[in-house]
């Protein structure tokens, strides 16, 4: 297990140091913001949803390595992915992190096969106060998806 912990730490640090899709989107997009006062983390998200698919996304933010790495991993997971699937990934992530109830979605014999790099965050479960750090990007994403739903039902 010690080696797996080490590997996970490397994945988290890599995303923290080299965040994917950092920035903003110039064209039409949905913006959402979230913060986690217990740690001081902030997360800003721009997403473009076209015909039920997340076609582009950009993030900004500051805070601990867990919050920012989780956001960066989320970028990799959602761009090019249908919204329905994005919600399913979010649900699996929340079950993995014990935020929501459900049957363990992770195949522990094949690390990374279900949620990719995101599975590196499961070590955070051992530190309950940090679970909110990992969840911040996903809560922000849900806000953005709900805004998209409201916009499409209003038009
Ligand atoms: Zn944090």
């Amino acid at each position: 297990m010690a080696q797996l912990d080490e590997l996970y730490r490397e994945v988290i640090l890599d995303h923290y140091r080299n965040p994917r899709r950092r920035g903003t989107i110039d064209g039409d997009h949905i913006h959402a913001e979230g913060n986690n006062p217990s740690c001081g983390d902030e997360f800003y998200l721009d997403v473009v949803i076209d015909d039920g698919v997340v076609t582009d996304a950009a993030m900004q933010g500051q805070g601990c390595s867990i919050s920012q790495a989780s956001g960066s991993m989320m970028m990799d997971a959602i761009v090019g992915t249908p919204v329905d699937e994005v919600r399913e990934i979010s649900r699996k992530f929340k079950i993995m992190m014990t935020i929501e109830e459900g049957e363990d979605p992770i195949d522990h014999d094949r690390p990374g096969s279900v949620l990719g790099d995101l599975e590196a965050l499961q070590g955070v479960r051992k530190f309950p106060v940090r679970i909110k750090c990992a969840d911040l990007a996903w809560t922000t994403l849900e806000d953005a998806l709900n805004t998209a739903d409201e916009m499409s039902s209003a038009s």
Side-chain angles (χ1 to χ4, degrees), residues 102-122:
E103 196 178 328
D104 186 356
I106 305 305
D107 182 347
H108 294 279
D109 291 332
R110 295 190 302 137
S113 62
V114 177
L115 288 177
D117 283 358
L118 283 161
E119 293 184 18
L121 289 167
Q122 60 189 294

Side-chain angles (χ1 to χ4, degrees), residues 10-151:
E10 279 304 309
V11 172
I12 292 168
L13 283 176
D14 176 54
H15 277 272
Y16 178 58
R17 290 176 182 141
N18 309 296
R20 320 297 198 256
R21 297 178 179 274
R22 195 169 179 82
T24 57
I25 290 171
D26 289 333
D28 279 353
H29 65 272
I30 294 160
H31 180 77
E33 304 186 354
N35 70 90
N36 172 26
S38 65
C39 184
D41 307 318
E42 297 174 7
F43 193 74
Y44 308 97
L45 177 68
D46 287 355
V47 287
V48 180
I49 296 170
D50 191 16
D51 210 12
V53 177
V54 175
T55 54
D56 200 4
M59 59 171 264
Q60 286 191 301
Q62 53 193 5
C64 70
S65 58
I66 302 295
S67 66
Q68 304 304 309
S70 181
S72 172
M73 293 176 195
M74 187 180 82
M75 295 291 117
D76 276 351
I78 67 172
V79 174
T81 307
V83 171
D84 290 351
E85 230 173 279
V86 169
R87 287 193 189 275
E88 187 59 21
I89 293 167
S90 177
R91 199 179 67 86
K92 285 180 179 158
F93 176 75
K94 282 170 188 276
I95 295 171
M96 179 185 82
M97 299 305 293
T98 67
I99 296 160
E100 285 182 15
E101 302 260 325
E103 196 178 328
D104 186 356
I106 305 305
D107 182 347
H108 294 279
D109 291 332
R110 295 190 302 137
S113 62
V114 177
L115 288 177
D117 283 358
L118 283 161
E119 293 184 18
L121 289 167
Q122 60 189 294
V124 175
R125 287 180 306 195
K126 283 179 277 183
F127 309 95
V129 293
R130 309 301 301 280
I131 291 175
K132 277 186 183 165
C133 302
D135 191 38
L136 174 62
W138 297 85
T139 308
T140 311
L141 174 66
E142 271 163 31
D143 279 354
L145 295 182
N146 291 340
T147 302
D149 279 351
E150 284 161 23
M151 286 166 66

